[in-house]
């Protein structure tokens, strides 16, 4: 599943089509595709893992789910979910969820919850964490209403960096550590963005998919944790379990 930084990259890659008219639409998406024909793109935006194509009175929301992909000015063999053709090129979307959002896009999203948005508000994130003291931190970090854009890679890397065990209870984690966690969620997301652009993301992973802790020289454990049952990679020695 693409995480927030990957959607930011997509948003940057399609800027050539901002202000352009859609001159052709096709694909196997069941939305009313005719509604898009001859519409002019006002802007491209992102919120967490959502890619947004904004028009005057509505927005097209694309969620890439687990296996969604895209191509710009090229295609792939898979059936296209939606093609948007402009006078200067095309966007092809594959294996994704697509829906219309009506009216002002600002009425649909809390931009302060997006860790990569300029309106990101760490204080709000901390307040929301206080409301879920019995949730495991591995689940809390994946809550998009708190940390929009954070996915499993970012979760594992952030927890390793701040030395918190993924099965720690949110309410038992010291305030200082919560502050570090919230700050690192944003910092690492921008590092992820830079490394992804330079095609070197994986070489910077410290915990995700790793087998040995760089700090302790002990095994990194792999476990499906929390109610979300996502893969966690962690060191039991240096990542403290708060319960």
């Amino acid at each position: 599943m693409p995480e927030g930084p990957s959607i930011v990259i997509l948003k940057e890659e399609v800027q050539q089509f901002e202000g352009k008219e859609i001159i052709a639409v096709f694909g196997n998406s069941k939305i009313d595709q005719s509604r898009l024909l001859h519409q002019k793109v006002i802007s491209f935006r992102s919120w967490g893992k959502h890619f947004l194509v904004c028009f005057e009175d509505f927005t097209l929301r694309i969620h890439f789910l687990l296996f969604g992909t895209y191509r710009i000015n090229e295609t792939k063999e898979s059936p296209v979910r939606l093609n948007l053709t402009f006078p200067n090129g095309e966007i092809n979307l594959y294996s994704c969820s697509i829906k219309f959002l009506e009216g002002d896009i600002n009425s649909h999203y809390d931009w302060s919850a997006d860790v990569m948005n300029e309106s990101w508000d760490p204080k709000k994130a901390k307040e929301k964490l206080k409301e879920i003291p019995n949730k495991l931190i591995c689940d809390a970090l994946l809550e998009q209403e708190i940390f929009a854009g954070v996915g499993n890679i970012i979760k594992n890397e952030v927890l390793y960096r701040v030395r918190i065990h993924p099965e720690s209870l949110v309410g038992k984690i010291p305030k200082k550590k919560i502050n570090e966690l919230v700050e690192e969620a944003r910092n690492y997301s921008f590092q992820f963005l830079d490394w992804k652009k330079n095609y070197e993301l994986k070489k910077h992973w410290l915990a995700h998919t790793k087998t040995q802790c760089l700090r302790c020289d002990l095994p990194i454990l792999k476990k499906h944790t929390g109610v979300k049952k996502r893969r966690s990679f962690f060191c039991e020695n240096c990542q403290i379990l708060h319960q």
Side-chain angles (χ1 to χ4, degrees):
M1 177 188 297
E3 304 192 27
S6 298
I7 305 303
V8 171
I9 290 173
L10 167 56
K11 179 180 65 175
E12 294 174 353
E13 290 178 340
V14 297
Q15 288 305 307
Q16 60 190 296
F17 305 124
E18 189 169 292
K20 303 297 183 181
E21 177 187 346
I22 296 175
I23 59 174
V25 186
F26 62 87
N28 60 20
S29 173
K30 294 181 180 180
I31 64 167
D32 179 9
Q33 298 182 25
S34 63
R35 186 179 185 186
L36 297 167
L37 194 60
H38 303 306
Q39 291 284 343
K40 184 177 292 186
V41 174
I42 302 299
S43 65
F44 294 101
R45 302 184 70 173
S46 66
W47 182 86
K49 301 175 184 180
H50 294 180
F51 173 54
L52 307 169
V53 186
C54 302
F55 302 95
E56 185 174 354
D57 300 315
F58 66 94
T59 295
L60 193 66
R61 190 207 75 179
I62 296 96
H63 191 319
F64 289 98
L65 306 173
L66 289 176
F67 304 109
T69 56
Y70 67 89
R71 295 289 186 273
I72 298 170
N73 296 328
E74 60 179 75
T75 60
K76 56 182 290 188
E77 291 186 5
S78 304
V80 65
R81 183 62 47 85
L82 189 68
N83 164 281
L84 302 176
T85 300
F86 301 88
N88 60 333
E90 63 180 4
I91 302 172
N92 290 293
L93 305 167
Y94 302 88
S95 302
C96 54
S97 169
I98 301 175
K99 67 178 293 186
F100 288 121
L101 302 178
E102 304 299 335
D104 184 359
I105 188 60
N106 295 305
S107 67
H108 293 275
Y109 290 103
D110 176 7
W111 304 105
S112 69
D114 184 341
V115 296
M116 302 197 70
N117 193 280
E118 61 183 12
S119 297
W120 160 251
D121 189 341
K123 291 182 180 179
K124 283 188 178 181
K126 295 171 193 176
E127 290 170 1
K128 292 174 183 176
L129 288 174
K130 286 182 181 179
E131 296 173 358
I132 51 172
N134 297 319
K135 187 181 285 288
L136 298 186
I137 192 61
C138 60
D139 288 325
L141 266 171
L142 296 177
E143 288 293 339
Q144 296 304 291
E145 295 303 319
I146 306 177
F147 297 102
V150 170
N152 210 46
I153 296 172
I154 297 176
K155 177 205 79 178
N156 286 325
E157 291 298 299
V158 167
L159 288 175
Y160 184 78
R161 281 162 170 74
V162 300
R163 303 188 181 217
I164 297 175
H165 192 289
E167 293 178 308
S168 296
L169 291 172
V170 172
K172 297 297 184 180
I173 301 172
K175 181 179 179 180
K176 180 181 178 181
K177 280 296 179 182
I178 289 290
N179 291 339
E180 290 179 17
L181 177 88
V182 171
E183 181 178 4
E184 190 63 26
R186 180 172 170 86
N187 290 343
Y188 182 77
S189 293
F190 280 97
Q191 290 180 323
F192 184 122
L193 176 65
D194 290 338
W195 293 329
K196 182 83 171 177
K197 285 181 176 180
N198 291 319
Y199 305 98
E200 59 181 27
L201 176 63
K202 290 184 179 181
K203 82 174 188 179
H204 292 282
W205 288 347
L206 301 180
H208 189 72
T209 72
K210 299 301 180 180
T211 58
Q212 189 170 17
C213 176
L214 297 175
R215 290 191 289 249
C216 306
D217 199 26
L218 293 171
I220 286 278
L221 302 184
K222 174 186 173 182
K223 183 178 180 181
H224 289 82
T225 60
V227 296
K228 297 181 184 296
K229 300 298 181 185
R230 300 298 302 279
R231 293 188 305 167
S232 286
F233 296 88
F234 58 96
C235 174
E236 283 191 311
N237 187 57
C238 63
Q239 290 180 251
I240 307 302
L241 179 61
H242 302 277
Q243 286 188 333

